[in-house]
Amino acid sequence: MERAIVVGAGLAGCEAAWQLAGRGVPVTLVEMKPHAFTPAHHSAGFAELVCSNSLRSDRLTNAVGLLKEEMRQLGSLILKAADATRVPAGGALAVDREKFSDYVTQAVRSHPLIEVEERELCELPQTNAVIATGPLTSDRLAEKIAALPGLETLNFYDAAAPIIEKDSIDSLLFRRVAGFLNDIL
């Protein structure tokens, strides 16, 4: 059977490699860490959560929670790791970031059909591949992807809300802005 190539050992890349290997497909997972990091990376582990430890709702009464349950039923490594490293978060599925990353890293590295290559990929593979580098794509690879026909620009969006310290809020300024908004609304 032909070996599959998956680029990026984040959430999507690890899940893609796991699902392919689970179906008997040998996989080469190419990950730039620990040799190259983006400013957001902090560890060499796979599936590193860099913004939040929350994977959002886990309730079956909404689409996000329902999708998670469907992923569980399909043998999702990411959900298995999340369930094993869960921390209290009300109706959300939140994890201990380090334990979560360690769990995924160990599972992927120990799978007999997954071979990990630690190197920065600077060219697109010349064969079919899953490119799962997301918003933390290295600049050199992002340039190659952007050069593909029809992709004049790449845009990555992170929907995580900013986290601020309560003490950093200027209460006088806050009241002025709130008053201004009340006046115009």
Side-chain angles (χ1 to χ4, degrees), residues 163-170:
I163 299 170
I164 60 171
E165 296 291 328
K166 180 181 176 184
D167 296 343
S168 72
I169 299 172
D170 180 331

Side-chain angles (χ1 to χ4, degrees), residues 45-133:
F46 297 167
E48 181 181 7
L49 298 173
V50 297
C51 294
S52 171
N53 71 328
S54 174
L55 301 176
R56 298 184 54 203
S57 178
D58 200 32
R59 296 192 172 141
L60 296 178
T61 55
N62 63 59
V64 175
L66 188 57
L67 177 61
K68 284 184 184 66
E69 183 55 31
E70 290 172 349
M71 290 176 66
R72 282 184 185 97
Q73 291 180 20
L74 292 170
S76 169
L77 171 63
I78 297 304
L79 270 294
K80 188 174 180 181
D83 289 337
T85 62
R86 180 181 217 127
V87 296
L93 175 56
V95 300
D96 178 303
R97 291 179 202 215
E98 290 179 15
K99 289 179 182 175
F100 175 79
S101 177
D102 290 346
Y103 188 106
V104 173
T105 302
Q106 189 278 329
V108 169
R109 287 190 179 277
S110 66
H111 197 293
L113 290 180
I114 300 175
E115 173 187 311
V116 177
E117 289 185 8
E118 295 174 342
R119 64 185 174 91
E120 181 180 357
L121 195 67
C122 299
E123 298 286 334
L124 291 169
Q126 295 302 306
T127 184
N128 289 334
V130 175
I131 308 297
T133 54

Side-chain angles (χ1 to χ4, degrees), residues 128-152:
N128 289 334
V130 175
I131 308 297
T133 54
L136 301 181
T137 303
S138 69
D139 290 341
R140 290 187 280 188
L141 185 57
E143 288 173 11
K144 299 295 181 183
I145 295 169
L148 291 171
L151 296 178
E152 288 72 36

